[in-house]
Amino acid sequence: MAEVSHDEPRPVRRFLRRLLIGVLLVGFLVVGGTSFRVWQVARGDDRASADVVLVLGAAQYGGTPSKVLEARLRHAKNLYDEGVAPYIVTTGGNQPGDTYTEATAGVRWLTEHGVPEDHVIPIGKGNDTLGSIEAAAEEIHGRGWRSVVIVSDPWHSLRARTMASDAGLEARTSPTHSGPIVQTRQTQIRYILYETAALLYYRATKASADNIGVPGNVGADK
């Protein structure tokens, strides 16, 4: 009977160990690199001229924007006043029982603060980032426009820009730097981690991660 060698499995174990280490290293680099890009884009502010300023929706209450949405609208108005774009597009649908959509609440706030009503375009569709951007892109393309400056929270900017680019828009970002989401270091870290996971999920599935029970839902009072 031939003697069984106990050394034969060792190369297999060595290969599997190296493979596991390689997979973990690649995963770390992908996650770490994505987190860095989320942080990097969050710190940017591209105010080059565009066709429209695109405001992503957040919660509203009876037509009154939440603090998160108000911060975005105020920033969009500043961009409009600076001449970055001649129109503002507001986005976001409504929850069951709501009289106003996030988009119409945005129009209401902007017109009350001096933006002419015919320069604000509400797109009251979509209850997550992807749905809102796709609905807005359809309207923007239909008007013969293409370039947008997206206004949202800093950590949300890279994912929103990625989705807008995939929808055929020339997208830049000018995030807000005020409001509840940017007030504490713990909040910032939490949203960077969430947006890293949500962006990787979108890139893998082309679906939104906004409605899976974690922070970042475009319709939530984040």
Side-chain angles (χ1 to χ4, degrees), residues 98-169:
D98 286 350
T99 303
Y100 291 86
T101 64
E102 295 164 4
T104 54
V107 172
R108 183 181 180 184
W109 189 95
L110 288 165
T111 55
E112 287 176 352
H113 288 79
V115 180
E117 188 171 358
D118 59 350
H119 284 239
V120 186
I121 303 164
I123 311 295
K125 300 177 183 179
N127 289 306
D128 59 25
T129 305
L130 183 59
S132 294
I133 286 177
E134 288 180 341
E138 183 177 356
E139 177 70 22
I140 290 166
H141 287 310
R143 292 173 179 258
W145 300 332
R146 186 173 178 84
S147 59
V148 300
V149 174
I150 298 172
V151 174
S152 188
D153 309 311
W155 331 112
H156 192 211
S157 294
L158 177 58
R159 183 160 61 103
R161 188 180 74 183
T162 301
M163 290 177 172
S165 296
D166 287 349
L169 297 173

Coordinates of all heavy atoms in Angstrom, one line a residue, residues 98-169:
D98 N -50.1 63.0 2.6 CA -49.5 64.4 2.5 C -50.3 65.2 1.4 O -50.5 64.7 0.3 CB -48.0 64.3 2.1 CG -47.2 63.9 3.3 OD1 -47.7 63.8 4.4 OD2 -46.0 63.6 3.1
T99 N -50.5 66.4 1.7 CA -51.1 67.3 0.7 C -50.1 67.8 -0.2 O -50.3 68.0 -1.4 CB -51.8 68.5 1.4 OG1 -52.8 68.0 2.4 CG2 -52.5 69.5 0.4
Y100 N -48.9 68.1 0.3 CA -47.8 68.7 -0.5 C -46.8 67.6 -0.8 O -46.6 66.6 0.0 CB -47.1 69.8 0.2 CG -47.9 71.0 0.4 CD1 -48.7 71.2 1.5 CD2 -47.7 72.1 -0.5 CE1 -49.4 72.4 1.7 CE2 -48.5 73.3 -0.3 CZ -49.3 73.4 0.8 OH -50.0 74.5 0.9
T101 N -46.1 67.7 -2.0 CA -44.9 66.9 -2.2 C -43.7 67.7 -1.7 O -43.8 68.9 -1.4 CB -44.8 66.6 -3.7 OG1 -44.6 67.9 -4.4 CG2 -46.0 65.9 -4.3
E102 N -42.6 67.0 -1.6 CA -41.4 67.7 -1.3 C -41.0 68.8 -2.3 O -40.5 69.8 -2.0 CB -40.2 66.7 -1.1 CG -40.4 65.7 0.0 CD -39.6 64.5 -0.1 OE1 -38.7 64.4 -1.0 OE2 -39.7 63.6 0.8
A103 N -41.3 68.4 -3.6 CA -41.0 69.4 -4.7 C -41.9 70.7 -4.5 O -41.4 71.8 -4.7 CB -41.3 68.7 -6.0
T104 N -43.2 70.5 -4.3 CA -44.0 71.7 -4.1 C -43.7 72.5 -2.9 O -43.9 73.7 -2.9 CB -45.5 71.3 -4.2 OG1 -45.8 70.3 -3.2 CG2 -45.9 70.8 -5.6
A105 N -43.4 71.8 -1.8 CA -42.9 72.5 -0.6 C -41.7 73.3 -0.9 O -41.5 74.5 -0.4 CB -42.7 71.5 0.5
G106 N -40.8 72.8 -1.8 CA -39.6 73.6 -2.2 C -40.0 74.8 -3.0 O -39.4 75.9 -2.8
V107 N -40.9 74.6 -3.9 CA -41.4 75.8 -4.7 C -42.0 76.9 -3.8 O -41.7 78.1 -3.9 CB -42.4 75.4 -5.7 CG1 -43.0 76.6 -6.4 CG2 -41.8 74.4 -6.8
R108 N -42.8 76.4 -2.8 CA -43.4 77.4 -1.9 C -42.3 78.2 -1.1 O -42.4 79.4 -1.0 CB -44.3 76.6 -0.9 CG -45.1 77.4 0.1 CD -45.9 76.5 1.0 NE -46.7 77.3 1.9 CZ -47.4 76.8 2.9 NH1 -47.5 75.5 3.0 NH2 -48.1 77.6 3.7
W109 N -41.3 77.5 -0.6 CA -40.3 78.2 0.2 C -39.5 79.1 -0.7 O -39.2 80.3 -0.4 CB -39.3 77.2 0.8 CG -38.4 77.8 1.8 CD1 -38.5 77.9 3.1 CD2 -37.1 78.4 1.4 NE1 -37.4 78.5 3.7 CE2 -36.5 78.8 2.7 CE3 -36.4 78.6 0.3 CZ2 -35.3 79.5 2.7 CZ3 -35.2 79.3 0.3 CH2 -34.6 79.7 1.5
L110 N -39.1 78.7 -1.9 CA -38.3 79.5 -2.8 C -39.0 80.8 -3.3 O -38.5 81.8 -3.3 CB -37.8 78.7 -4.0 CG -36.8 77.6 -3.7 CD1 -36.7 76.6 -4.9 CD2 -35.4 78.2 -3.4
T111 N -40.3 80.6 -3.6 CA -41.1 81.8 -4.1 C -41.3 82.8 -2.9 O -41.3 84.0 -3.2 CB -42.4 81.3 -4.7 OG1 -43.1 80.5 -3.8 CG2 -42.1 80.6 -6.0
E112 N -41.5 82.2 -1.7 CA -41.7 83.1 -0.6 C -40.4 83.9 -0.3 O -40.4 84.9 0.4 CB -42.1 82.3 0.6 CG -43.5 81.8 0.6 CD -43.9 80.9 1.8 OE1 -43.0 80.6 2.6 OE2 -45.1 80.6 1.9
H113 N -39.3 83.4 -0.7 CA -38.0 84.0 -0.5 C -37.4 84.7 -1.7 O -36.2 84.9 -1.8 CB -37.0 83.0 0.1 CG -37.3 82.6 1.5 ND1 -38.3 81.7 1.8 CD2 -36.8 83.0 2.7 CE1 -38.3 81.5 3.1 NE2 -37.4 82.3 3.7
G114 N -38.3 85.0 -2.7 CA -37.9 85.9 -3.7 C -37.6 85.3 -5.1 O -37.2 86.1 -6.0
V115 N -37.6 84.0 -5.2 CA -37.3 83.4 -6.6 C -38.6 83.4 -7.4 O -39.7 83.0 -6.9 CB -36.8 82.0 -6.4 CG1 -36.6 81.4 -7.8 CG2 -35.6 81.9 -5.6
P116 N -38.6 84.0 -8.6 CA -39.8 84.0 -9.4 C -40.4 82.6 -9.6 O -39.6 81.7 -9.9 CB -39.4 84.7 -10.7 CG -38.1 85.4 -10.3 CD -37.5 84.6 -9.2
E117 N -41.7 82.5 -9.5 CA -42.3 81.2 -9.7 C -42.0 80.5 -11.0 O -41.9 79.3 -11.1 CB -43.8 81.3 -9.4 CG -44.5 80.0 -9.3 CD -46.0 80.1 -8.9 OE1 -46.4 81.2 -8.6 OE2 -46.7 79.0 -8.8
D118 N -41.9 81.3 -12.1 CA -41.7 80.7 -13.4 C -40.2 80.3 -13.6 O -39.9 79.8 -14.6 CB -42.1 81.7 -14.5 CG -41.4 83.0 -14.5 OD1 -40.7 83.3 -13.5 OD2 -41.5 83.8 -15.4
H119 N -39.4 80.5 -12.5 CA -38.0 80.0 -12.6 C -37.8 78.8 -11.7 O -36.7 78.4 -11.5 CB -37.1 81.2 -12.2 CG -36.9 82.2 -13.3 ND1 -35.7 82.5 -13.8 CD2 -37.8 83.0 -14.0 CE1 -35.8 83.4 -14.8 NE2 -37.1 83.7 -14.9
V120 N -38.9 78.3 -11.1 CA -38.8 77.1 -10.3 C -39.7 76.0 -10.9 O -40.9 76.2 -11.2 CB -39.3 77.4 -8.8 CG1 -39.0 76.2 -8.0 CG2 -38.6 78.6 -8.3
I121 N -39.1 74.8 -11.1 CA -39.8 73.7 -11.7 C -39.9 72.5 -10.8 O -38.9 71.9 -10.4 CB -39.0 73.3 -13.0 CG1 -38.8 74.5 -13.9 CG2 -39.7 72.1 -13.7 CD1 -37.8 74.3 -15.0
P122 N -41.1 72.2 -10.3 CA -41.2 71.1 -9.4 C -41.4 69.8 -10.1 O -42.2 69.7 -11.1 CB -42.5 71.4 -8.6 CG -43.3 72.2 -9.6 CD -42.4 73.0 -10.5
I123 N -40.7 68.8 -9.7 CA -40.8 67.4 -10.2 C -41.2 66.5 -9.0 O -40.4 66.0 -8.3 CB -39.5 66.9 -10.8 CG1 -38.9 67.9 -11.8 CG2 -39.8 65.5 -11.5 CD1 -39.8 68.2 -13.0
G124 N -42.5 66.4 -8.8 CA -43.0 65.8 -7.6 C -43.1 64.3 -7.7 O -44.2 63.7 -7.3
K125 N -42.1 63.6 -8.2 CA -42.1 62.2 -8.4 C -40.9 61.6 -7.7 O -39.8 62.3 -7.6 CB -42.1 61.8 -9.9 CG -43.2 62.3 -10.7 CD -43.1 61.9 -12.1 CE -44.2 62.5 -13.0 NZ -44.0 62.1 -14.4
G126 N -41.0 60.4 -7.3 CA -39.8 59.7 -6.7 C -39.8 59.9 -5.2 O -39.9 61.0 -4.6
N127 N -39.6 58.7 -4.5 CA -39.4 58.8 -3.0 C -38.1 58.2 -2.6 O -37.9 57.9 -1.4 CB -40.6 57.9 -2.4 CG -41.9 58.6 -2.5 OD1 -42.1 59.8 -2.1 ND2 -42.9 57.9 -3.1
D128 N -37.1 58.2 -3.5 CA -35.8 58.0 -3.2 C -34.9 58.7 -4.1 O -35.4 59.4 -5.1 CB -35.5 56.5 -3.1 CG -35.7 55.8 -4.5 OD1 -35.7 56.5 -5.5 OD2 -35.9 54.6 -4.5
T129 N -33.6 58.7 -3.9 CA -32.7 59.5 -4.7 C -32.7 59.1 -6.2 O -32.8 60.0 -7.0 CB -31.2 59.3 -4.2 OG1 -31.1 59.6 -2.8 CG2 -30.2 60.2 -4.9
L130 N -32.7 57.8 -6.4 CA -32.7 57.4 -7.8 C -34.0 57.8 -8.6 O -33.9 58.3 -9.7 CB -32.5 55.9 -7.9 CG -32.4 55.3 -9.3 CD1 -31.2 55.9 -10.1 CD2 -32.2 53.8 -9.2
G131 N -35.1 57.5 -7.9 CA -36.4 57.9 -8.6 C -36.5 59.4 -8.8 O -37.0 59.8 -9.9
S132 N -36.1 60.2 -7.9 CA -36.2 61.6 -8.0 C -35.3 62.1 -9.2 O -35.6 63.0 -10.0 CB -35.8 62.3 -6.7 OG -36.8 62.1 -5.7
I133 N -34.0 61.6 -9.2 CA -33.1 62.0 -10.2 C -33.6 61.6 -11.6 O -33.5 62.3 -12.6 CB -31.7 61.5 -9.9 CG1 -31.1 62.3 -8.7 CG2 -30.8 61.6 -11.1 CD1 -29.7 61.8 -8.3
E134 N -34.1 60.4 -11.7 CA -34.5 59.9 -13.0 C -35.7 60.7 -13.5 O -35.8 61.0 -14.7 CB -34.8 58.4 -13.0 CG -33.6 57.5 -12.8 CD -33.9 56.0 -12.7 OE1 -35.1 55.7 -12.4 OE2 -33.0 55.2 -13.0
A135 N -36.6 61.0 -12.6 CA -37.8 61.9 -13.0 C -37.3 63.3 -13.4 O -37.8 63.8 -14.4 CB -38.8 61.9 -11.9
A136 N -36.4 63.8 -12.7 CA -35.9 65.2 -13.0 C -35.1 65.1 -14.3 O -35.2 66.1 -15.1 CB -35.0 65.6 -11.9
A137 N -34.3 64.1 -14.6 CA -33.6 64.0 -15.8 C -34.5 64.0 -17.0 O -34.2 64.6 -18.0 CB -32.7 62.8 -15.8
E138 N -35.6 63.2 -16.9 CA -36.5 63.2 -18.0 C -37.1 64.6 -18.3 O -37.2 65.0 -19.5 CB -37.7 62.2 -17.6 CG -38.7 62.0 -18.8 CD -39.8 61.0 -18.4 OE1 -39.7 60.4 -17.3 OE2 -40.7 60.9 -19.2
E139 N -37.4 65.3 -17.3 CA -38.0 66.7 -17.5 C -36.9 67.6 -18.1 O -37.2 68.4 -19.0 CB -38.5 67.2 -16.2 CG -39.0 68.6 -16.2 CD -40.3 68.8 -17.0 OE1 -41.0 67.8 -17.2 OE2 -40.6 69.9 -17.5
I140 N -35.7 67.5 -17.5 CA -34.6 68.4 -17.9 C -34.3 68.1 -19.4 O -34.1 69.1 -20.2 CB -33.4 68.2 -17.0 CG1 -33.7 68.8 -15.6 CG2 -32.1 68.8 -17.6 CD1 -32.7 68.4 -14.6
H141 N -34.1 66.8 -19.8 CA -33.9 66.5 -21.2 C -35.0 67.0 -22.1 O -34.8 67.4 -23.2 CB -33.7 65.0 -21.3 CG -32.4 64.5 -20.8 ND1 -31.2 65.1 -21.1 CD2 -32.1 63.5 -19.9 CE1 -30.2 64.4 -20.4 NE2 -30.7 63.4 -19.7
G142 N -36.2 66.9 -21.6 CA -37.4 67.3 -22.4 C -37.4 68.7 -22.7 O -38.0 69.2 -23.7
R143 N -36.7 69.5 -21.9 CA -36.7 71.0 -22.1 C -35.4 71.4 -22.9 O -35.1 72.6 -23.1 CB -36.7 71.7 -20.8 CG -38.0 71.6 -20.1 CD -38.0 72.2 -18.7 NE -39.2 72.2 -18.0 CZ -40.1 73.2 -17.8 NH1 -39.7 74.4 -18.3 NH2 -41.2 73.1 -17.2
G144 N -34.7 70.4 -23.3 CA -33.5 70.7 -24.1 C -32.3 71.1 -23.3 O -31.3 71.6 -23.8
W145 N -32.3 70.8 -22.0 CA -31.2 71.1 -21.1 C -30.4 69.9 -20.8 O -30.8 68.8 -21.0 CB -31.7 71.7 -19.8 CG -32.5 73.0 -20.0 CD1 -32.4 73.9 -21.0 CD2 -33.6 73.5 -19.1 NE1 -33.3 74.9 -20.8 CE2 -34.0 74.7 -19.7 CE3 -34.1 73.0 -17.9 CZ2 -35.0 75.5 -19.1 CZ3 -35.2 73.8 -17.4 CH2 -35.6 75.0 -17.9
R146 N -29.2 70.1 -20.2 CA -28.4 69.0 -19.9 C -27.5 69.1 -18.6 O -27.4 68.2 -17.9 CB -27.4 68.7 -21.1 CG -26.6 67.5 -21.0 CD -25.8 67.2 -22.2 NE -25.0 66.0 -22.1 CZ -25.4 64.8 -22.3 NH1 -26.6 64.5 -22.6 NH2 -24.6 63.7 -22.2
S147 N -27.0 70.3 -18.4 CA -26.1 70.5 -17.3 C -26.8 70.9 -16.0 O -27.8 71.7 -16.0 CB -25.0 71.5 -17.6 OG -25.6 72.8 -17.9
V148 N -26.4 70.3 -14.9 CA -27.1 70.6 -13.6 C -26.0 70.7 -12.5 O -24.9 70.1 -12.6 CB -28.0 69.4 -13.2 CG1 -29.1 69.2 -14.2 CG2 -27.3 68.1 -12.9
V149 N -26.3 71.6 -11.5 CA -25.6 71.6 -10.3 C -26.5 71.0 -9.2 O -27.6 71.6 -8.9 CB -25.1 73.1 -9.9 CG1 -24.5 73.1 -8.5 CG2 -24.2 73.6 -11.0
I150 N -26.1 69.9 -8.6 CA -26.9 69.2 -7.6 C -26.7 69.8 -6.3 O -25.5 70.0 -5.8 CB -26.6 67.7 -7.6 CG1 -26.9 67.1 -9.0 CG2 -27.4 67.0 -6.5 CD1 -26.4 65.7 -9.2
V151 N -27.8 70.1 -5.6 CA -27.7 70.5 -4.2 C -28.3 69.5 -3.3 O -29.5 69.1 -3.4 CB -28.5 71.9 -4.0 CG1 -28.5 72.2 -2.5 CG2 -27.8 73.0 -4.8
S152 N -27.5 68.9 -2.4 CA -27.9 68.0 -1.4 C -26.9 68.1 -0.2 O -26.2 69.1 -0.1 CB -27.9 66.6 -2.0 OG -28.5 65.7 -1.0
D153 N -26.9 67.1 0.7 CA -26.0 67.1 1.8 C -24.6 66.7 1.3 O -24.5 66.0 0.3 CB -26.5 66.2 2.9 CG -28.0 66.5 3.2 OD1 -28.3 67.7 3.4 OD2 -28.8 65.6 3.2
P154 N -23.6 67.1 2.0 CA -22.2 66.8 1.5 C -22.0 65.4 1.2 O -21.5 65.0 0.1 CB -21.3 67.3 2.6 CG -22.1 68.4 3.3 CD -23.6 67.9 3.2
W155 N -22.4 64.5 2.1 CA -22.0 63.1 2.0 C -22.8 62.4 0.9 O -22.5 61.3 0.5 CB -22.2 62.4 3.4 CG -21.9 63.3 4.5 CD1 -22.9 63.8 5.4 CD2 -20.7 64.0 4.8 NE1 -22.3 64.8 6.2 CE2 -20.9 64.9 5.9 CE3 -19.4 64.0 4.3 CZ2 -20.0 65.7 6.4 CZ3 -18.4 64.8 4.8 CH2 -18.7 65.6 5.9
H156 N -24.0 63.0 0.6 CA -24.9 62.4 -0.4 C -24.4 62.8 -1.8 O -24.9 62.2 -2.8 CB -26.3 63.0 -0.1 CG -27.4 62.3 -0.9 ND1 -28.5 63.0 -1.3 CD2 -27.5 61.1 -1.3 CE1 -29.3 62.2 -1.9 NE2 -28.8 61.0 -2.0
S157 N -23.5 63.7 -2.0 CA -23.2 64.3 -3.2 C -22.6 63.4 -4.3 O -23.0 63.4 -5.4 CB -22.2 65.5 -3.0 OG -22.9 66.5 -2.3
L158 N -21.7 62.5 -3.9 CA -21.1 61.6 -4.9 C -22.1 60.7 -5.4 O -22.1 60.4 -6.6 CB -19.9 60.9 -4.2 CG -19.2 59.9 -5.2 CD1 -18.7 60.6 -6.4 CD2 -18.0 59.2 -4.4
R159 N -22.9 60.1 -4.6 CA -23.9 59.1 -5.1 C -24.9 59.8 -6.0 O -25.3 59.3 -7.0 CB -24.6 58.4 -3.9 CG -25.6 57.4 -4.3 CD -25.9 56.4 -3.1 NE -26.5 57.1 -2.0 CZ -27.8 57.1 -1.7 NH1 -28.6 56.5 -2.5 NH2 -28.2 57.7 -0.6
A160 N -25.4 61.0 -5.6 CA -26.3 61.7 -6.4 C -25.7 62.1 -7.8 O -26.3 61.9 -8.8 CB -26.8 63.0 -5.7
R161 N -24.4 62.5 -7.7 CA -23.8 62.9 -9.0 C -23.6 61.7 -9.9 O -23.8 61.7 -11.1 CB -22.4 63.5 -8.7 CG -21.7 64.1 -9.9 CD -20.4 64.7 -9.6 NE -19.4 63.7 -9.3 CZ -18.1 64.0 -9.0 NH1 -17.8 65.2 -8.8 NH2 -17.3 63.0 -8.8
T162 N -23.3 60.5 -9.3 CA -23.1 59.3 -10.1 C -24.4 58.9 -10.7 O -24.5 58.5 -11.9 CB -22.6 58.2 -9.2 OG1 -21.4 58.5 -8.5 CG2 -22.4 56.9 -9.9
M163 N -25.5 59.0 -10.0 CA -26.8 58.6 -10.5 C -27.2 59.6 -11.6 O -27.8 59.2 -12.7 CB -27.9 58.6 -9.4 CG -27.7 57.5 -8.4 SD -28.9 57.6 -7.1 CE -28.7 56.0 -6.3
A164 N -27.0 60.9 -11.4 CA -27.3 61.9 -12.4 C -26.5 61.7 -13.7 O -27.1 61.8 -14.8 CB -27.1 63.3 -11.9
S165 N -25.3 61.4 -13.6 CA -24.4 61.1 -14.8 C -24.9 59.9 -15.5 O -25.0 59.9 -16.7 CB -23.0 60.9 -14.3 OG -22.4 62.1 -13.8
D166 N -25.3 58.8 -14.8 CA -25.9 57.7 -15.4 C -27.2 58.0 -16.1 O -27.6 57.2 -17.1 CB -26.1 56.5 -14.4 CG -24.8 55.9 -13.9 OD1 -23.7 56.2 -14.5 OD2 -24.8 55.2 -12.9
A167 N -27.9 59.0 -15.6 CA -29.2 59.4 -16.3 C -29.0 60.3 -17.5 O -29.9 60.9 -18.0 CB -30.1 60.1 -15.3
G168 N -27.7 60.6 -17.8 CA -27.4 61.3 -19.0 C -27.2 62.8 -18.8 O -27.2 63.6 -19.7
L169 N -27.1 63.2 -17.5 CA -26.9 64.6 -17.2 C -25.4 65.0 -17.0 O -24.6 64.1 -16.6 CB -27.6 65.0 -15.9 CG -29.2 64.9 -16.0 CD1 -29.8 65.1 -14.6 CD2 -29.8 65.8 -17.0

